[in-house]
Amino acid sequence: MSDLRKLLDPVWLVENLGYIRTQHNPLVKFKPWEWQREFLRILDKHDKVVLLKSRDIGASTVAVLYYTADTIINGGDFLIASYKKESAAFLYENVKVFIKNLPDVLKPVTELIEDTKHGLIIKSSGAHIKAVEMSPKVGRSFRAIRILASEVAHWKEPRKSWVALTGAGTKGVKICVESTPNPAPEGELFEEIYTNPEYYSCEYDWRVSPEHDEEWERKRRSELTDKEFAIEYECDLTKSSEGNNVIPISWVDGAITRIMKPEGEIVFGVDVARYGDDESVVVIRQGPKVLDIKPFRKIDTMEYAGRIKDLAEKYSPSKIIVDVIGVGSGVYDRLREQELPAVEFNSSEKAEDSERFANKRAESYFGLRERFKDGDIDIPNDRILRQQLTRQTYKFNSRGQIQIQSKEEIKKKYGWSPDRADALMMAFANVKKGKIGIYTDVNKEEIKKWESLINS
Ligand SMILES: Nc1ncnc2c1ncn2[C@@H]1O[C@H](COP(=O)(O)OP(=O)(O)OP(=O)(O)O)[C@@H](O)[C@H]1O
Ligand SMILES: [Mg+2]
């Protein structure tokens, strides 16, 4: 029996031997669509997957088949946590249809000993498969090592349910979180998971389904507002979330996949940790290309300045742009003392375009935004940076100026501080006309020299 299992591969099983029940047909051979093939491989490769999806593209079905196959082969329990009773029932039906229609030779591993309303047990391994309408009461009673969290942004009490489901953590648990966006507060948890670096995130809109053609699109668009269509079918989190994202996820992903030549001056952006658990981060770029992101933890200003000096010796930057708020000024002073081309960046300072922006921080983030929008930036695939960039929002203040969420606000809301994103923003900040502050320990000639270098 175990030998039989060794011969089986879940992706192969689903692609070659799968049957499903559709809304129109009680039993059809499962022929995966192109995107489903791709998604099967993602599920197979990554334990934690989050899928931002269009409605009705066959996402739940393919995830259910994959995890069911994996349960048959590898044992352990599988829970389908859905947002609606009917949807849970439909997906559960698919589990049964799939298992019962596998070929007879697989009987030793597919025989079921119990078939209660929403749960079954695979005889050979004792593995349970169950589908539920998700609520905070569910999780605690069920120890699954595979979870399909379906339409999470539409769960009734998402946060409480999530805690119930993952209370003891998700270590060793295979989990797929999928949803269409939801502009209501219920949608927030999903967006957080979507930008959580521990998850492999992917996005599939309505176009991936071969059942959706131009005719279908015309019809749908005529029934919905633009905003509704964007949310339901185009995976538009920006339209969905209350705040306005400075840099949409798709632009960030564009910058991650883009490959540009490192040409032009080398600039460092230096963010200095304000609290014990924050990171100090140096972002190193050459022209539009980010060469490296160097995070440091629990490091004092002197030590940090030393590390920056080492990096400067390696890269010979023309500018080192340093966040001088709070302890940052100590790092700045120390760099200047060592005759490095440090330039101050003070985020609360007045913007050049002070009509439009509340401060330097907002202006610089919007400068960075332009680069992402125009495709003039290439960043490494750093999941933490990606998360930080995509959570940055802006609003208009009472004077109509653009204002960016402050570090403190972000830290309060998410528990982390956007240090890598800030360092990136500084590395690209326009400080050309910036004045170098007069520091007593640096002579005026030196300052002139650096100023002319920076402003050249
Ligand atoms: N490869 C396929 N071939 C034919 N029909 C399919 C295929 N994959 C899924 N379906 C059918 O498409 C419909 C939508 O599937 P499913 O519910 O899995 O999609 P979904 O993206 O999770 O949708 P929802 O947004 O409603 O949750 C179902 O009727 C399902 O049986
Ligand atoms: Mg679904």
Side-chain angles (χ1 to χ4, degrees):
M1 201 153 62
S2 57
D3 288 345
L4 183 54
R5 286 209 183 91
K6 260 186 238 158
L7 294 172
L8 297 171
D9 168 67
V11 174
W12 185 86
L13 212 61
V14 171
E15 287 187 339
N16 295 284
L17 305 177
Y19 277 85
I20 55 168
R21 158 166 302 179
T22 72
Q23 267 134 17
H24 324 287
N25 201 329
L27 184 67
V28 280
K29 179 92 183 57
F30 179 65
K31 293 196 198 86
W33 296 320
E34 189 62 33
W35 90 267
Q36 287 175 321
R37 285 184 183 276
E38 200 175 283
F39 190 57
L40 276 169
R41 282 156 186 80
I42 291 172
L43 288 175
D44 201 41
K45 195 163 164 213
H46 303 275
D47 280 351
K48 311 236 178 309
V49 174
V50 57
L51 166 65
L52 170 63
K53 61 178 283 287
S54 149
R55 205 162 280 292
D56 207 25
I57 55 167
S60 305
T61 301
V62 71
V64 159
L65 295 190
Y66 174 79
Y67 283 139
T68 302
D70 193 39
T71 304
I72 292 167
I73 298 168
N74 296 308
D77 296 349
F78 168 32
L79 177 68
I80 299 165
S82 191
Y83 70 126
K84 272 199 305 214
K85 231 193 219 124
E86 307 83 78
S87 164
F90 174 74
L91 296 175
Y92 183 70
E93 269 307 305
N94 268 307
V95 173
K96 281 202 293 193
V97 166
F98 177 60
I99 297 180
K100 289 186 172 163
N101 288 286
L102 283 169
D104 283 348
V105 290
L106 297 180
K107 273 273 138 43
V109 290
T110 58
E111 211 177 323
L112 307 174
I113 51 169
E114 200 179 289
D115 190 343
T116 52
K117 198 158 172 261
H118 288 319
L120 54 79
I121 302 170
I122 293 166
K123 192 176 176 186
S124 58
S125 65
H128 289 65
I129 301 180
K130 187 163 127 178
V132 296
E133 178 188 18
M134 195 56 203
S135 82
K137 278 175 279 172
V138 171
R140 298 178 211 283
S141 62
F142 203 81
R143 301 227 118 255
I145 62 160
R146 274 171 217 94
I147 298 171
L148 171 63
S150 185
E151 286 295 329
V152 169
H154 298 273
W155 283 2
K156 280 180 202 80
E157 292 180 89
R159 277 184 203 277
K160 279 193 191 154
S161 295
W162 184 251
V163 170
L165 199 60
T166 62
T170 52
K171 203 161 180 265
V173 177
K174 279 185 119 175
I175 183 163
C176 170
V177 178
E178 45 104 330
S179 193
T180 45
N182 182 0
E186 281 74 17
E188 239 189 37
L189 170 80
F190 175 66
E191 290 189 36
E192 268 171 55
I193 300 170
Y194 189 66
T195 52
N196 180 338
E198 282 171 29
Y199 281 74
Y200 181 90
S201 52
C202 46
E203 177 184 327
Y204 292 99
D205 69 15
W206 64 271
R207 293 172 186 87
V208 300
S209 168
E211 293 186 345
H212 299 165
D213 52 13
E214 275 171 23
E215 180 57 40
W216 174 93
E217 186 192 3
R218 246 195 313 279
K219 186 159 178 290
R220 280 332 251 146
R221 282 197 192 273
S222 71
E223 293 161 353
L224 301 170
T225 64
D226 284 355
K227 184 173 170 175
E228 283 164 348
F229 189 85
I231 292 169
E232 287 289 292
Y233 295 108
E234 308 226 270
C235 308
D236 199 331
L237 283 177
T238 350
K239 285 216 174 51
S240 145
S241 61
E242 273 175 290
N244 301 299
N245 285 73
V246 177
I247 306 166
I249 287 172
S250 56
W251 297 0
V252 175
D253 286 343
I256 288 172
T257 28
R258 187 173 304 126
I259 295 170
M260 297 183 86
K261 272 202 197 124
E263 271 173 348
E265 58 167 1
I266 295 187
V267 179
F268 288 6
V270 175
D271 187 67
V272 186
R274 298 184 197 176
Y275 307 99
D277 54 344
D278 293 351
E279 281 180 345
S280 284
V281 182
V282 183
V283 163
I284 301 162
R285 69 146 171 129
Q286 180 166 20
K289 189 184 182 75
V290 173
L291 303 175
D292 209 351
I293 298 166
K294 296 268 182 207
F296 300 94
R297 285 190 167 274
K298 303 207 186 313
I299 185 169
D300 66 35
T301 50
M302 288 299 267
E303 208 183 331
Y304 189 30
R307 304 296 272 277
I308 297 167
K309 186 170 196 268
D310 294 344
L311 290 170
E313 270 158 19
K314 184 172 165 199
Y315 288 98
S316 309
S318 60
K319 272 185 275 200
I320 302 179
I321 305 173
V322 187
D323 159 25
V324 291
I325 288 192
V327 286
S329 62
V331 175
Y332 172 80
D333 286 350
R334 182 70 188 139
L335 293 175
R336 293 297 312 279
E337 218 172 87
Q338 296 179 99
E339 310 198 337
L340 291 164
V343 189
E344 288 178 85
F345 183 91
N346 184 338
S347 52
S348 55
E349 206 171 78
K350 207 171 147 200
E352 299 259 316
D353 184 353
S354 55
E355 279 291 303
R356 189 161 175 232
F357 299 104
N359 53 31
K360 189 88 185 152
R361 180 179 168 82
E363 186 169 48
S364 303
Y365 258 110
F366 268 72
L368 185 66
R369 177 182 202 272
E370 286 301 304
R371 279 191 175 261
F372 275 95
K373 187 174 153 205
D374 297 344
D376 189 23
I377 183 167
D378 162 358
I379 63 172
N381 187 5
D382 180 306
R383 312 298 287 181
I384 295 174
L385 173 65
R386 180 176 184 269
Q387 177 193 43
Q388 294 180 358
L389 284 171
T390 51
R391 300 307 298 179
Q392 198 81 53
T393 59
Y394 71 93
K395 60 181 182 202
F396 292 94
N397 66 14
S398 55
R399 297 178 55 188
Q401 297 162 308
I402 291 175
Q403 200 176 354
I404 302 280
Q405 259 186 323
S406 72
K407 265 190 142 144
E408 290 69 27
E409 282 169 328
I410 293 174
K411 176 125 185 173
K412 212 168 132 201
K413 191 163 172 196
Y414 301 116
W416 46 257
S417 150
D419 308 309
R420 296 187 189 192
D422 274 24
L424 182 78
M425 172 270 287
M426 280 185 279
F428 285 97
N430 184 5
V431 289
K432 268 205 179 119
K433 292 176 199 137
K435 266 237 175 261
I436 288 179
I438 307 295
Y439 282 75
T440 48
D441 52 359
V442 185
N443 75 42
K444 288 193 175 148
E445 285 309 302
E446 271 301 304
I447 292 168
K448 281 230 173 66
K449 201 175 95 192
W450 289 126
E451 266 181 0
S452 66
L453 218 138
I454 290 157
N455 293 329
S456 65

